[in-house]
Amino acid sequence: MCDVPSDKPATASLEQLLLRDDMWLGHSQRFTDRTALATGHALLDERLLHQGWPLGTLIEVCQPGIQGEWLLFTPALLQVTGLIVLLNPPAIPFAQAFIQAGFDLDRLLVVDAAEKKHFIGCFTELARASVGAVLAWQPRENISYTELRKCLLSASDGTGLCVMFRPSAAQQQSSPARLRLFARLLADGLEITLFKQTGYLQKQQPQPLLLPLPDYWKPTQAYAALDEKTAATKQDIVPQRLASVTPLRGQ
């Protein structure tokens, strides 16, 4: 006598379901197949869903004025291959500082796109071209959600590190960026607050993380005060072409 198979499906327990590889738990790091670069800050890597800066997507950094951009991203930039493009940097980069940090100046380009439409066009083309990294500083005009989504989609078409620095007020605005953080330079370190990570379920108010400030970075604290004066005296310049591209050379 043979057994007749039952049409009733087997019931799995909750514990069995939670062990399935295709079950997303909100805070789980499964399905994080996106390539990432180590940040160079162990404490920060532990907080990031991909254990580093995700590539091929948009990272948004909200900050008050000129902050610790290079402290935060220098270790990752030294790992990338290809060009490193600085789009609308807030000040003229100091070539000798880049050399001391270990950068190859032949791979560094500075792009000035003063008008917002030119800025968006440059960002999307550079991100889609899969250059090693694009570090962009938002122009004075506010950037809309639609424009940010255009930047995100172009970054998704590429494989590079794409970062956009925005003013503190942008933290209150909606953004499609996959990773958003707030950075603030303090006397004893760089304070980082991760307030959005797509794919990560935020169960409570994000806690700030203080990254130690190396001794050679402490003089940069004065730039936060200088930035306000610079912003007040800087005049709007109407470009005669879409953007100017300048290779960074040692002086």
Side-chain angles (χ1 to χ4, degrees), residues 15 18 26 32 55 61 63 78 83-84 93 121 153 162 165 172 184 219 230 242:
E15 290 76 12
L18 293 178
T32 58
L55 301 178
V61 180
Q63 59 181 17
L78 291 174
L83 293 175
I84 298 174
L153 293 176
C162 297
F165 298 99
Q172 306 302 323
R184 183 172 59 163
T230 301
L242 292 184

XYZ file of all heavy atoms in Angstrom, residues 15 18 26 32 55 61 63 78 83-84 93 121 153 162 165 172 184 219 230 242:
154
model
N 10.900 30.724 13.158
C 12.351 30.580 13.240
C 12.929 30.093 11.918
O 13.988 30.551 11.477
C 12.729 29.614 14.365
C 12.469 30.138 15.775
C 11.000 30.083 16.143
O 10.221 29.442 15.397
O 10.623 30.690 17.165
N 12.977 32.927 9.351
C 14.016 33.922 9.599
C 15.385 33.431 9.174
O 16.296 34.243 8.973
C 14.038 34.297 11.087
C 12.805 35.053 11.595
C 12.934 35.315 13.096
C 12.615 36.364 10.847
N 15.278 43.749 7.297
C 15.305 45.192 7.514
C 16.685 45.684 7.887
O 17.225 46.574 7.252
N 23.452 42.813 -0.063
C 24.317 43.982 -0.230
C 25.447 43.625 -1.192
O 26.601 43.609 -0.830
C 24.893 44.439 1.121
O 25.617 43.343 1.702
C 23.795 44.873 2.060
N 29.562 52.128 -4.251
C 29.922 52.636 -5.572
C 28.727 52.516 -6.509
O 27.827 51.715 -6.285
C 31.114 51.861 -6.134
C 32.397 51.889 -5.296
C 33.477 51.036 -5.963
C 32.883 53.306 -5.080
N 26.259 64.352 1.287
C 26.832 64.829 2.543
C 26.304 66.238 2.803
O 26.588 67.157 2.038
C 28.371 64.839 2.504
C 28.930 65.340 3.832
C 28.915 63.449 2.194
N 26.406 69.487 5.190
C 27.390 70.032 6.113
C 27.323 71.555 6.132
O 26.924 72.174 5.147
C 28.800 69.595 5.721
C 29.220 70.020 4.329
C 30.618 69.551 3.975
O 31.169 68.681 4.606
N 31.193 70.149 2.944
N 42.228 57.440 -2.407
C 43.537 56.858 -2.694
C 43.413 55.427 -3.214
O 44.379 54.862 -3.723
C 44.411 56.883 -1.438
C 44.861 58.286 -0.983
C 45.588 58.197 0.349
C 45.749 58.938 -2.036
N 40.228 58.771 -13.140
C 40.254 60.182 -12.793
C 39.479 60.476 -11.512
O 38.489 59.826 -11.211
C 39.664 61.018 -13.933
C 40.447 61.069 -15.246
C 39.659 61.842 -16.300
C 41.819 61.716 -15.037
N 39.950 61.484 -10.783
C 39.234 62.021 -9.635
C 38.848 63.451 -10.003
O 39.715 64.295 -10.228
C 40.095 62.007 -8.362
C 40.465 60.569 -7.992
C 39.367 62.684 -7.214
C 41.443 60.477 -6.826
N 41.941 74.170 -4.976
C 42.691 73.105 -4.301
C 44.187 73.421 -4.238
O 44.762 73.958 -5.185
C 42.416 71.875 -5.181
C 41.167 72.207 -5.930
C 41.205 73.690 -6.152
N 24.376 68.890 -15.624
C 24.850 68.235 -16.841
C 26.230 67.632 -16.668
O 26.497 66.509 -17.112
N 20.404 58.355 -11.050
C 20.296 57.403 -12.155
C 21.581 57.366 -12.978
O 22.015 56.303 -13.421
C 19.104 57.766 -13.042
C 17.724 57.593 -12.397
C 16.628 58.084 -13.335
C 17.484 56.145 -12.007
N 30.529 58.529 -6.227
C 29.855 59.786 -6.564
C 29.310 60.425 -5.295
O 28.412 59.873 -4.648
C 28.714 59.535 -7.549
S 29.253 58.863 -9.142
N 28.156 67.267 -2.027
C 28.145 68.023 -0.779
C 27.076 69.107 -0.880
O 27.055 69.882 -1.837
C 29.518 68.656 -0.524
C 30.619 67.647 -0.361
C 31.464 67.355 -1.423
C 30.803 66.980 0.838
C 32.473 66.420 -1.293
C 31.812 66.048 0.982
C 32.647 65.770 -0.085
N 16.806 68.616 5.641
C 15.372 68.576 5.881
C 14.582 68.296 4.609
O 13.358 68.137 4.670
C 14.916 69.917 6.486
C 15.677 70.338 7.730
C 15.594 69.314 8.847
O 14.548 68.681 9.045
N 16.694 69.127 9.568
N 29.894 67.371 10.604
C 30.174 68.625 11.295
C 31.544 68.543 11.946
O 31.847 67.603 12.674
C 29.103 68.892 12.362
C 29.280 70.218 13.083
C 28.114 70.521 13.979
N 27.898 69.500 14.995
C 27.170 69.676 16.090
N 26.559 70.836 16.286
N 27.029 68.708 16.965
N 44.443 72.222 11.784
C 44.390 73.592 11.239
C 43.191 73.843 10.334
O 42.823 74.994 10.106
C 45.705 73.707 10.457
C 46.623 72.749 11.139
C 45.749 71.591 11.534
N 33.962 84.084 2.990
C 34.152 83.865 1.554
C 32.821 83.877 0.827
O 32.667 84.476 -0.232
C 34.859 82.526 1.312
O 36.115 82.540 1.984
C 35.075 82.290 -0.180
N 29.977 76.097 -21.040
C 29.274 75.219 -20.118
C 30.065 74.963 -18.852
O 29.534 74.994 -17.763
C 28.953 73.880 -20.806
C 27.929 73.950 -21.938
C 27.647 72.549 -22.447
C 26.644 74.617 -21.485
